[in-house]
Amino acid sequence: MNKTKAPQISTLEAVIVLLVVLGIMSAGVIGWGLSPQVPVLLAMGVVTAWAMLRGFPWSAVNAGIKEGIDKGIVPIFIFILIGAMISTWIAAGTIPTLMVIGFKIINIQWFLPSVFIVCTLVGAAVGSAFTVTSTVGIAFFGMGVTMNLNPALVAGAIISGGIFGDKLSPLSETNNLASAVVDTDLFTHIKHILWSTLPAGLISLGLFAMLGHSSTETSLAKINQTVAVLNGHFSISALALLPIVLVFVCAGFKMPAIPTMLLNIFISAGLILFEQPELSLAKLTAIINTGFVSKTGNTSVDTLLSRGGIVSMMSMVALIVVTLSLGGLLVKFGLINQIMTPVAKHLNSDGKLVLAGVLTCIGVNVFVGEQFLSIILPGRAFRQEFNDGGLSGNALGRVLEDGGTVINYLVPWGVGGVFLTTTLGVPTVLYLPFVFFSLLCPVISVISGFTGVGMAHLNQRTAVKTKHVTATEV
């Protein structure tokens, strides 16, 4: 049986198609301020029409969509569980208790750097920026809004701290994935990425200290009022902190995310029934499904704490499905590789290799919108080139983290960007300028590549051999 050969795509054609896709999405989301689902769906339609005109069979379109969505099944389920966890944490008094305690122990005058440090510590413990943002992050966001701080700036401190902590943690899924892709030891990988993450974290802390210094008197009255409302309408107690303690316990036992969240939701639901024995099972399931609705009478508190639920994540799930479908098509039709592979073969210095790797990771984030693929695809494309250039897998691993992992949170249609916007209620384009950690990591990584500071090379014999081959070819 004869197999139909796939159409050959030129690099120029791939560039044109990708620019059209980027133009549609950026014009819709950034230019016109539209919700990203429709622009991404339109871009997907354009790519599909192009593929059919170029002679790709419909079976290839189907396969591309299926392969793209397959990468996001587990994250989608995790996000659904996070929606349920947020609503139960509020109803059980966990997030309100964190807010009350936070107002008492966090230095109000240095609120933003305090938030950054705490989110970093929690992120390092649990290994997930998503978990940090959806738990203590919501509490800190409520505190910041109460203090009349710029919501985008507060979100930037929470997100930066969460990502920084994620990069320090051996429990991080992206750390484990990146080290596996480049075939290096996990702890060696984490140690090496400190060359960029540690400077980025320290600079971020300094920037938040400068931007977040405020006078205590300006917000003390509103803080006291908010604390009084929380004490009067929620169960503020040490028992309410049991769910967050459970997160750390599960992290200590290295329990995967899904069973951790299922157990947490179950425990939180039990706390709600313990604190409110008159609550019917129907109302409890409504909280889990459609979210918690705060009815304190205080507009600010009600706006902050009316959130969560499985339904709240459905818009994000829809966007993830269409974004991953689009990414699957771009990969299936060879559009991504058609640009990545030729670039990788024309790089003759450490700095150029690192710059190209970082830009490619950012490009995959922008066009595919999926964090894991921003590690896997460039990792495959550049692994041999880094090796031929005398750079070790640790060097490539850092590039994959600095250009891939941390940038996904800044893409409006990316999985990370959509999740954070849904969770905190701040559009990606507004908080983006304040996520200093994510903005600094790729810059520091590129500087490291051109200066050689912190770059991990192969043994001298391999490096000399590579130089000799290059000279002979020239």
Side-chain angles (χ1 to χ4, degrees):
M1 184 176 181
N2 295 327
K3 292 184 178 180
T4 304
K5 292 184 64 176
Q8 296 299 307
I9 308 301
S10 68
T11 301
L12 177 61
E13 185 176 8
V15 170
I16 293 173
V17 173
L18 290 177
L19 286 177
V20 170
V21 168
L22 179 61
I24 292 172
M25 295 191 298
S26 59
V29 177
I30 300 173
W32 294 325
L34 304 177
S35 296
Q37 286 88 341
V38 174
V40 174
L41 191 62
L42 177 60
M44 182 180 168
V46 170
V47 171
T48 302
W50 165 83
M52 301 304 293
L53 290 173
R54 288 291 280 111
F56 284 95
W58 183 249
S59 59
V61 177
N62 274 337
I65 292 173
K66 291 177 182 177
E67 290 168 10
I69 294 176
D70 182 63
K71 302 291 190 304
I73 295 300
V74 172
I76 286 173
F77 188 60
I78 288 175
F79 293 156
I80 290 173
L81 293 179
I82 287 176
M85 196 167 77
I86 290 172
S87 59
T88 55
W89 275 35
I90 297 174
T94 304
I95 290 177
T97 298
L98 284 173
M99 290 179 65
V100 171
I101 294 175
F103 280 129
K104 292 180 180 179
I105 66 173
I106 285 185
N107 191 318
I108 302 301
Q109 286 184 293
W110 299 98
F111 177 73
L112 289 180
S114 300
V115 166
F116 176 79
I117 292 172
V118 173
C119 287
T120 296
L121 295 175
V122 176
V126 302
S128 171
F130 292 118
T131 302
V132 172
T133 306
S134 59
T135 53
V136 294
I138 292 179
F140 286 141
F141 186 77
M143 293 168 62
V145 172
T146 300
M147 296 166 58
N148 294 321
L149 294 175
N150 180 356
L153 182 56
V154 177
I158 295 167
I159 297 165
S160 291
I163 301 172
F164 185 24
D166 186 309
K167 293 303 96 202
L168 299 175
S169 176
L171 300 178
S172 167
E173 289 184 340
T174 51
N175 279 346
N176 280 275
L177 176 62
S179 63
V181 167
V182 299
D183 194 23
T184 62
D185 173 70
L186 172 62
F187 290 95
T188 303
H189 168 76
I190 294 174
K191 181 180 178 180
H192 189 72
I193 64 175
L194 288 177
W195 282 101
S196 54
T197 57
L198 191 56
L202 293 174
I203 295 171
S204 298
L205 178 61
L207 291 171
F208 287 123
M210 287 190 294
L211 294 173
H213 185 59
S214 60
S215 172
T216 307
E217 292 80 10
T218 57
S219 54
L220 196 56
K222 190 173 182 182
I223 289 172
N224 291 333
Q225 181 186 12
T226 300
V227 169
V229 171
L230 293 174
N231 278 312
H233 294 83
F234 293 92
S235 177
I236 309 298
S237 65
L239 184 62
L241 297 177
L242 179 60
I244 196 168
V245 172
L246 184 62
V247 169
F248 285 97
V249 171
C250 292
F253 283 100
K254 297 183 179 180
M255 187 180 293
I258 290 177
T260 295
M261 291 178 183
L262 286 170
L263 179 60
N264 209 296
I265 293 167
F266 178 78
I267 296 296
S268 299
L271 272 178
I272 295 170
L273 293 176
F274 176 77
E275 295 162 354
Q276 306 174 52
E278 75 285 355
L279 190 71
S280 67
L281 191 60
K283 289 184 178 180
L284 176 61
T285 55
I287 290 173
I288 295 173
N289 186 44
T290 59
F292 180 81
V293 179
S294 176
K295 298 178 181 178
T296 66
N298 183 293
T299 304
S300 298
V301 172
D302 290 343
T303 301
L304 288 170
L305 297 182
S306 294
R307 62 179 63 218
I310 294 172
V311 172
S312 70
M313 294 292 172
M314 288 302 102
S315 177
M316 185 184 73
V317 167
L319 179 56
I320 292 174
V321 169
V322 295
T323 301
L324 292 181
S325 298
L326 172 62
L329 293 177
L330 297 178
V331 173
K332 186 68 176 179
F333 301 145
L335 293 166
I336 299 291
N337 281 336
Q338 188 61 35
I339 294 177
M340 288 170 56
T341 304
V343 169
K345 293 185 179 298
H346 292 84
L347 303 170
N348 54 11
S349 71
D350 292 358
K352 290 180 181 179
L353 274 170
V354 171
L355 176 60
V358 167
L359 292 178
T360 301
C361 291
I362 293 173
V364 173
N365 266 316
V366 170
F367 289 111
V368 181
E370 210 284 318
Q371 195 175 53
F372 289 172
L373 288 180
S374 73
I375 295 173
I376 295 171
L377 294 179
R380 289 174 178 171
F382 283 90
R383 184 168 179 174
Q384 187 60 47
E385 304 309 318
F386 268 62
N387 184 70
D388 292 344
L391 293 174
S392 76
N394 288 316
L396 177 56
R398 177 148 66 95
V399 167
L400 300 180
E401 296 274 22
D402 292 339
T405 303
V406 304
I407 297 298
N408 190 260
Y409 305 94
L410 307 183
V411 180
W413 48 84
V415 174
V418 176
F419 174 79
L420 295 175
T421 295
T422 303
T423 302
L424 297 178
V426 181
T428 309
V429 292
L430 294 184
Y431 72 64
L432 185 154
F434 302 112
V435 186
F436 302 125
F437 182 79
S438 291
L439 295 172
L440 287 166
C441 278
V443 175
I444 295 172
S445 195
V446 171
I447 293 173
S448 174
F450 281 101
T451 61
V453 177
M455 294 301 297
H457 289 81
L458 298 171
N459 60 66
Q460 188 64 31
R461 182 179 176 184
T462 304
V464 170
K465 180 180 178 182
T466 303
K467 290 178 182 178
H468 175 71
V469 171
T470 303
T472 303
E473 290 174 347
V474 174

